[in-house]
Every structure is written in structure tokens, then in C-alpha cells.
Amino acid sequence: MELKCDIHIHSCLSPCGSLNMSPSSIVRIAQEQKLDVIAIADHNSALNAPALEAACKNTPLIPLFAIEATTSEEFHSLCLFRDSRIAVKFGNDLYSNLQSRPNIPEKFGDQVYVDENDNILGELDKYLTGGALTYSSDELLLMVHKAGGLFIPAHIDRAAFSMSSQLGFIPPDPYDALEITTYPMNLNRGSIPLISNSDAHFPEEIGKRFFILETESRGSDDIFKAIKNGMSYPSIKPR
Amino acid sequence: MKLKSITQILGYEELVENRECEKFSKGYTSDLLSDVIGNCEADSVLITIQAHKNTIAVATLSDIRGIILCNGRKAPVDMIQAAEDESIAIYQTDDNQFEASWKIRQLMDS
């Protein structure tokens, strides 16, 4: 079967994400966009994962749980998990490690986590997009794999916070896939699978880029297997 | 040291003026923004090639007075707008980071 996936969506927890991007709103719009699989991927935290999971209940949507981590080389990478609890714990560990300064919400935006009814549960103090983790990308990759997740460098073709801007090449590490925003691109990826996502920060952006995944079933194990096996077709790449 | 000297003495082009503060007392050279956020002291000019809007956010958090963009890197429109909003000066030069750092040090010692 084919599933329409957008696994890089920012929620109201990201300072750069709109306050209108509550998990419940994301779930509503994702259904309007006929998506099958979605994940919230906030910067260096996954505290909106439980609300996403709850909001997806009684909908046809399959939720996955991601974090857009800032490695010590300062490129962004998606850490993708099947289980919201594992994602939350992993995100909390990353947040503890994050080297940053206190956020100034009136300048950079709020960093709030909520429940599935948009009630604010709390806010994070450290500016989530300003600093970096002390973990290099190869260290973080091992940590993600050990926790049962997928490690997918994000928007590798962008001019900032990407593998191309920070390194200029793709290291020979066992990435599960690479996220691209344009096609074709200049970096040599070898045989690593490609995906594309919206990286939405505002409601109208959800599902604007996506990928189609050919998978055995709607189960998250099969979805992970299909991503790793390169059964993905980025919306921006001619099929 | 007056920020104006960066234009008047070194001849670097001023893209954005710092309207709130006309002086700086330190310099910091780095192209890794997390290093800047962790180690750059307040009241500095930052010497870097990181010509994008995120540099302004880091400069705001670190109380940086001005940014010197080296190697002829161009400041995008959204970076200039953010710098205007936060009143952080931006200068541009074809010098590389080493040359700019050396010149700023000389300026501070003069």
C-alpha cells in the first residue's frame, strides 16, 4: 500500500513555529491534506509527542514522534521514534544537554507544550534553536539507533544548519534516509534513501512537501522498514 | 572603541547601523553559532561568515554590538531586517576572518 507522509512538522513548542500549530490543529489539517503518516519534529525536545498521539486517536492518521536535533556540527537531524514515551525521554535528555541561553519569548516566540485540547502544560526556558548539543552527528546516530529510532539528517541541501552548509559532504555514516527540499541536488548520496517533508512552521504549510511510502502495512514497524529500504518517493522528485 | 571606526578607519561597508549603542569593547571570531552563544562576551563585535538571520538571534541573546561579515559574504534581506529591528550593526568586507580579527585588534589597541 502507499502512504502519504509528512514527518517534519513544527508545533507551538518550537519558537519559530506558529502558536496556531497545536497538535490538535496539526492533526485536523493533516487530515484535510489527506496525509496518512505525520510526525511533529520540534527542535531538541519532544514534549508535544503525547498530545499528538492523543489527538490522532479515533482518526485514520498514523503518528510517529520526532525531534529535530542540532548536532555539535550544527546541522539539523531528525530523530524518529515509534513510541511517544521513548521520544519524550530522548528529547528530555537532549534538552538537558543543549548548550543554549534562556529564550526571550517576545523576540523569538513562545516554546509551549500542550495537551490534545490545546491546554498549555508548560514552557521551556532554553532557546531551542539557538545553540547546539555537545553530541556530534555520529554519536547522536548511535544513540538514536540504540533507542530504536531512525536518524535522518534534515534539509541537507539548505544554506544554513544543513549537512551541506556545515560539512559540504555526506559522511560515510549509516544514515537511515536523507531529507531533501529540492531536486536534483549536488551532494553525492550513494544509495541512501531520500525523503521530503514540509518542515511546516505555519498551518498552511503542512503537507506542502511530503513523500509517498510503499509499505506492507500501516504498522509503524513496516513503515520504519520501508523508509530504511528506500521505498520512499519524495513529492519533489519526478517518479 | 567606536563602532564607526570600523567604517571610517578600516573601510568596511556598513549595511546596518547600531542606533542604540555606538561602542564595543571586545571581539570574537567564530563560525559556529553554538560556540558564539556559549563563549562570546557581551559588548563584542562578532567576526564571522555566517550571513543569515539566525546570527542576529544569537547576537541578540549574547548582547553583541555588531557583526562583521567576511569573505564578501552577502547579508540576505531578512538578516538586514532583523538587524535593523534589534539594532545590531552589520559590516561587510572582502577580508577573511583572520585579517578582520587582526585589524579589529589593532583598532582596539590604537
Side-chain angles (χ1 to χ4, degrees):
Chain A
M1 66 173 61
E2 290 195 345
L3 299 175
K4 184 178 176 184
C5 314
D6 183 358
I7 59 170
H8 186 165
I9 301 171
H10 288 271
S11 80
C12 48
L13 181 58
S14 292
C16 42
S18 163
L19 263 187
N20 295 329
M21 293 288 267
S22 65
S24 70
S25 299
I26 291 170
V27 164
R28 181 175 49 79
I29 297 160
Q31 290 180 87
E32 290 166 11
Q33 293 293 326
K34 309 271 185 263
L35 287 162
D36 298 299
V37 180
I38 60 169
I40 286 177
D42 286 313
H43 294 284
N44 302 303
S45 175
L47 284 175
N48 270 338
L52 177 71
E53 183 166 48
C56 283
K57 279 212 173 110
N58 305 316
T59 79
L61 281 175
I62 305 159
L64 296 175
F65 309 97
I67 301 155
E68 186 176 21
T70 313
T71 69
S72 65
E73 304 95 330
E74 289 190 0
F75 68 73
H76 291 172
S77 192
L78 298 175
C79 309
L80 185 69
F81 298 96
R82 282 165 278 203
D83 185 317
S84 67
R85 286 161 303 180
I86 291 174
V88 166
K89 184 179 179 308
F90 200 88
N92 288 346
D93 291 345
L94 294 189
Y95 181 76
S96 304
N97 176 273
L98 181 67
Q99 312 295 305
S100 189
R101 294 197 182 195
N103 183 34
I104 307 172
E106 57 276 23
K107 284 186 195 265
F108 303 124
D110 294 295
Q111 303 184 146
V112 294
Y113 52 100
V114 299
D115 67 13
E116 69 273 26
N117 299 314
D118 298 356
N119 298 304
I120 293 177
L121 302 176
E123 67 179 309
L124 290 180
D125 175 52
K126 283 188 211 172
Y127 182 43
L128 294 172
T129 58
L133 304 166
T134 64
Y135 308 123
S136 61
S137 60
D138 53 332
E139 286 176 314
L140 192 59
L141 181 148
L142 288 176
M143 289 162 62
V144 170
H145 282 174
K146 202 173 160 198
L150 299 185
F151 188 82
I152 304 172
H155 45 68
I156 63 164
D157 43 10
R158 286 249 178 97
F161 297 125
S162 75
M163 221 175 223
S164 59
S165 76
Q166 301 308 108
L167 303 179
F169 66 99
I170 300 173
D173 287 322
Y175 305 116
D176 298 297
L178 299 169
E179 184 193 57
I180 56 171
T181 65
T182 52
Y183 189 87
M185 52 142 198
N186 295 329
L187 296 170
N188 181 7
R189 67 175 179 105
S191 59
I192 307 171
L194 297 178
I195 63 171
S196 59
N197 300 293
S198 67
D199 196 0
H201 289 71
F202 297 91
E204 61 273 20
E205 296 169 350
I206 295 171
K208 291 302 172 207
R209 274 190 304 265
F210 58 88
F211 64 98
I212 297 293
L213 192 67
E214 236 173 62
T215 167
E216 292 284 311
S217 77
R218 295 170 54 84
S220 58
D221 289 353
D222 279 335
I223 291 171
F224 265 40
K225 199 159 79 181
I227 293 174
K228 285 170 75 162
N229 289 340
M231 304 306 285
S232 52
Y233 302 93
S235 61
I236 55 174
K237 183 183 171 197
R239 216 164 148 170
Chain B
M1 176 53 58
K2 286 196 167 174
L3 283 165
K4 281 278 170 236
S5 312
I6 297 173
T7 320
Q8 289 167 354
I9 299 174
L10 301 186
Y12 292 176
E13 187 187 354
E14 185 183 69
L15 304 181
V16 177
E17 183 190 358
N18 186 334
R19 278 177 251 92
E20 285 175 12
C21 184
E22 55 178 30
K23 290 186 174 176
F24 69 99
S25 62
K26 297 183 181 76
Y28 197 79
T29 305
S30 182
D31 296 320
L32 206 56
L33 293 181
S34 57
D35 170 52
V36 176
I37 218 170
N39 299 309
C40 180
E41 293 182 73
D43 212 34
S44 293
V45 288
L46 172 66
I47 296 154
T48 188
I49 54 168
Q50 291 289 359
H52 50 79
K53 191 180 159 191
N54 304 294
T55 312
I56 304 300
V58 167
T60 304
L61 287 171
S62 306
D63 289 325
I64 286 168
R65 305 297 176 220
I67 296 165
I68 297 174
L69 296 178
C70 296
N71 275 349
R73 297 265 180 148
K74 304 268 182 286
V77 175
D78 59 353
M79 181 187 193
I80 290 182
Q81 186 56 54
E84 299 271 10
D85 294 346
E86 298 296 337
S87 203
I88 290 167
I90 301 182
Y91 305 90
Q92 195 178 38
T93 174
D94 288 334
D95 286 346
N96 66 32
Q97 298 94 308
F98 172 77
E99 290 161 336
S101 304
W102 183 77
K103 287 182 184 178
I104 288 290
R105 180 76 240 182
Q106 278 208 319
L107 200 57
M108 291 169 74
D109 288 344
S110 61

